Amino acid sequence: MNQIRRKRSAADRKPLGRFLSWSSDRTGISEDTETESREEKGQSSGVSGVSGVSEGTESGRDVGWGRVCVFLQRLGKKADSRSLSLAHCDLTATDLLELATLLQFLPRLEELDVSWNELLGGCLRAWTSHLQNVGGVRKLRLCSCRLNDEDVTALGEVLSGLPLLEILDLSWNSGVGGALQNLQGNLQPSLRELHLVACQLTAADAAALGGLVSSLPSLCVLDVSCNPQLAQGGDGGGGFMELASSLSRATSLTTLRLQACGLTEDGLDALSGSLHCLPSVRELDLSCNKSISGGLNRLTPYLAHLTHLENLDFHSCSLTQADLEALIQVLPSLIALTELDISSNKEAGGVVHSLVSALPLMKMRRLPLNSCSLNQESFTAFALAVPYLHSVDVSWSKVVGGHLALLLDALQPSVVLELRLSSCELSTEDLAHLAAVCRRGCLSSLRVLDLSYNGSAGDEGWSALFAAGGLGSLEEVDLSLRPSTSASCSAWLPALLCALPRLPALTRLALQRWSMSSQERQQLNHSLRKRSVLLEWDPPSTDVMSSFKGTNQEGLEESQSEE
């Protein structure tokens, strides 16, 4: 597996042999330690001996730093004495052991990230035993490394030796679930962020997490999203009750994310009891918890205690009209609110007018209403909030088709940064009106434009849009068609090719399911040959593919894989 991921030359393997050859009573340094030992024997000879030790130590550090540079260069990374990021490097157990012996040469290290290296699971102990050499680390990330319970135990044993640790991220490690108690008593009071996303945490872990939270007075961010069993269990959710109760002592908490945690109405009751102790919370994410449907009134009266709340997320919670009405009643109390997400709740389309009336519109920056079953009345009401929003998302709303002008005419120049209109049945006239708005410069700050799944628009509309200009800040644009459809883009592709030089910030262009000839493919690829643009399109035939090279080949291969 190691040979498949990264071939090593004989010269690269030599240092590793040196690291693996130390005896059991050595720390992993061979020639440097011997040099320092010989110089220490000369200390009794006076000042010259002391000078020799100093020079030898400095020389040893230089040699050690050289080894660090060689190791990182082999992985395609640049050396930094304060930050070490080895995410997505396909590290093996052998690499991890070599890294462990190099930590002693990084005494000023503050950030350490070995995330998304799935071959590290099961062998973390050989590495954690060396973490004492970087006691000044403030950020430690081990996401998606396939850690098991033994790895978590090994990590817990050394965390007490990291007194300055502020951020710990173990997300996307299913083996953390059921082993969280191994971290209890080892986390330092300095910890400010704890991320445990998608760790298969159980109700028992929730109880252990409650104990952890109680001992972390500086905790600001707690993210335990995507753990569907966290708030459930045979004890009626008792573990989550302990966690919710412990939150009352986390008075420094600013961000609480409980997305898709299996929250129930009883869980909302437990959470409500702690909100009055959390005046500093600025972000509360309870999204994707469909079991709270019909019981939101157990929580909403207590939201008024969160006087600094800026971001509130209830998307995909199957909220009923009664839930939404209860939420609307408390909104005037949330004077700091800038983002409210109730998208993917079908009943939301019927309360938009009341919702907009209750919000502090001049402060609102984001109010996504995608998949909310908007009707003509609610779409018109939403237009009142548009002038202040930085992000506008009414995707999957058929009512937008033929009425886009109502939304676009409400935009303020250079305010909106994201415009998402996916699957809105846009017409050719809608795109023509969008082009006119671009020409006026109203979208000069736009960074993301999503017009995917709008095959109902004609070629004239697409051509007018790309010929309009006024999108100099655009970074991402998605024009893809639905998976089951296909159409030719030959009529408007020339307009797109002419527009590309006027899109200097572009980093992503999605054209999936639009068909084009091999010559047109070559023209598009040629236009982007010197730019780092991710081009998402359907793969060409095998005989044509070989002619595509450069920065867009990766996008081609990814599209092939998806197909």
Side-chain angles (χ1 to χ4, degrees):
M1 294 295 290
N2 191 26
Q3 292 174 350
I4 292 173
R5 283 169 172 75
R6 185 176 62 258
K7 293 182 179 179
R8 299 185 178 182
S9 65
D12 288 335
R13 290 195 296 267
K14 287 180 180 179
L16 180 58
R18 223 171 25 243
F19 289 124
L20 296 177
S21 64
W22 74 80
S23 59
S24 59
D25 59 343
R26 300 289 291 270
T27 61
I29 311 175
S30 55
E31 49 213 17
D32 297 328
T33 304
E34 292 172 0
T35 300
E36 292 178 10
S37 178
R38 286 195 298 268
E39 290 171 344
E40 287 173 0
K41 292 180 180 179
Q43 287 184 354
S44 60
S45 62
V47 177
S48 61
V50 174
S51 176
V53 171
S54 178
E55 293 175 358
T57 302
E58 184 175 352
S59 175
R61 289 175 180 172
D62 291 341
V63 172
W65 176 247
R67 293 177 182 172
V68 172
C69 294
V70 170
F71 176 75
L72 295 177
Q73 185 178 16
R74 192 167 65 240
L75 297 173
K77 299 289 184 177
K78 293 183 178 180
D80 186 334
S81 62
R82 295 185 181 276
S83 178
L84 185 59
S85 178
L86 299 176
H88 300 281
C89 282
D90 286 329
L91 295 180
T92 65
T94 302
D95 295 323
L96 191 66
L97 180 59
E98 185 174 357
L99 173 62
T101 64
L102 295 176
L103 291 180
Q104 59 190 310
F105 304 120
L106 296 167
R108 298 195 300 169
L109 194 65
E110 295 181 358
E111 300 183 24
L112 181 55
D113 186 354
V114 292
S115 300
W116 305 99
N117 289 288
E118 297 187 346
L119 297 180
L120 302 187
C123 57
L124 203 63
R125 183 175 294 276
W127 178 69
T128 56
S129 60
H130 293 263
L131 282 179
Q132 59 185 350
N133 294 314
V134 287
V137 165
R138 298 179 182 274
K139 301 177 182 179
L140 179 59
R141 293 184 170 91
L142 292 158
C143 306
S144 190
C145 290
R146 292 192 178 181
L147 303 184
N148 57 31
D149 55 348
E150 294 182 0
D151 294 324
V152 177
T153 299
L155 181 62
E157 293 172 355
V158 299
L159 285 178
S160 58
L162 303 177
L164 302 180
L165 189 64
E166 296 179 357
I167 299 176
L168 178 62
D169 193 344
L170 303 179
S171 299
W172 306 100
N173 286 292
S174 59
V176 174
L180 199 60
Q181 69 276 8
N182 295 328
L183 300 182
Q184 279 188 293
N186 296 313
L187 291 176
Q188 298 296 306
S190 60
L191 196 71
R192 296 173 57 84
E193 297 186 18
L194 181 58
H195 301 267
L196 298 170
V197 178
C199 287
Q200 292 191 11
L201 301 182
T202 64
D205 291 314
L209 186 59
L212 287 175
V213 170
S214 299
S215 63
L216 300 173
S218 301
L219 190 65
C220 295
V221 177
L222 177 61
D223 190 351
V224 289
S225 299
C226 304
N227 289 287
Q229 301 300 317
L230 186 69
Q232 300 182 1
D235 59 352
F240 183 79
M241 304 303 175
E242 293 185 38
L243 171 58
S245 177
S246 69
L247 291 175
S248 63
R249 294 184 285 277
T251 55
S252 298
L253 201 65
T254 60
T255 300
L256 178 59
R257 301 188 184 118
L258 297 170
Q259 181 187 48
C261 283
L263 274 179
T264 62
E265 295 183 19
D266 291 337
L268 290 182
D269 280 335
L271 190 59
S272 300
S274 297
L275 291 184
H276 69 282
C277 300
L278 302 174
S280 299
V281 169
R282 287 176 167 77
E283 178 183 344
L284 179 60
D285 185 354
L286 303 179
S287 61
C288 302
N289 287 291
K290 295 186 177 182
S291 295
I292 67 174
S293 176
L296 197 61
N297 59 346
R298 299 190 182 191
L299 176 74
T300 49
Y302 301 91
L303 290 176
H305 295 294
L306 306 180
T307 55
H308 293 89
L309 188 64
E310 299 175 358
N311 187 336
L312 182 59
D313 195 341
F314 285 111
H315 82 265
S316 298
C317 284
S318 298
L319 298 182
T320 64
Q321 184 171 352
D323 291 328
L324 292 164
E325 291 174 353
L327 176 61
I328 290 171
Q329 290 179 4
V330 76
L331 288 180
S333 302
L334 305 179
I335 56 176
L337 196 66
T338 61
E339 299 185 24
L340 174 63
D341 192 345
I342 55 170
S343 61
S344 299
N345 287 288
K346 293 184 178 181
E347 296 295 330
V351 299
V352 175
H353 187 277
S354 300
L355 181 72
V356 171
S357 300
L359 286 169
L361 286 185
M362 296 187 66
K363 290 186 177 181
M364 293 302 296
R365 297 296 176 260
R366 186 170 176 269
L367 181 62
L369 291 177
N370 51 293
S371 301
C372 285
S373 299
L374 297 180
N375 53 36
Q376 184 63 48
E377 181 182 356
S378 56
F379 181 61
T380 303
F382 175 66
L384 299 174
V386 167
Y388 310 99
L389 300 179
H390 289 176
S391 176
V392 176
D393 188 350
V394 288
S395 298
W396 302 92
S397 300
K398 307 305 180 186
V399 69
V400 179
H403 303 91
L404 185 60
L406 179 64
L407 191 68
L408 296 177
D409 291 343
L411 294 175
Q412 293 295 317
S414 304
V415 173
V416 65
L417 303 179
E418 295 186 7
L419 181 58
R420 300 184 184 274
L421 303 169
S422 178
S423 191
C424 287
E425 292 191 356
L426 299 182
S427 64
T428 302
E429 291 72 20
D430 289 326
L431 291 186
H433 200 93
L434 179 58
V437 172
C438 291
R439 280 194 296 270
R440 294 199 301 267
C442 292
L443 298 177
S444 60
S445 298
L446 192 69
R447 297 175 184 173
V448 178
L449 177 61
D450 186 355
L451 299 175
S452 60
Y453 297 2
N454 284 293
S456 52
D459 294 334
E460 298 84 357
W462 295 113
S463 297
L465 175 61
F466 295 125
L471 295 172
S473 300
L474 195 63
E475 298 175 2
E476 299 184 23
V477 58
D478 193 343
L479 310 174
S480 301
L481 297 176
R482 296 178 183 276
S484 59
T485 62
S486 178
S488 172
C489 62
S490 298
W492 53 264
L493 185 60
L496 173 61
L497 294 176
C498 292
L500 288 177
R502 301 194 300 271
L503 303 175
L506 190 66
T507 59
R508 175 177 175 262
L509 175 60
L511 297 169
Q512 294 180 358
R513 267 80 65 184
W514 286 105
S515 61
M516 60 186 78
S517 67
S518 60
Q519 182 179 0
E520 290 170 337
R521 284 179 173 274
Q522 291 175 354
Q523 290 176 341
L524 181 56
N525 192 68
H526 180 76
S527 298
L528 300 173
R529 69 189 185 283
K530 294 183 179 180
R531 300 173 58 176
S532 298
V533 177
L534 176 60
L535 184 55
E536 300 177 7
W537 56 0
D538 292 333
S541 58
T542 305
D543 59 330
V544 177
M545 188 182 304
S546 59
S547 65
F548 290 92
K549 299 185 182 296
T551 57
N552 300 307
Q553 185 66 28
E554 182 178 352
L556 280 172
E557 293 172 352
E558 289 181 0
S559 296
Q560 277 188 295
S561 177
E562 292 175 359
E563 286 295 308

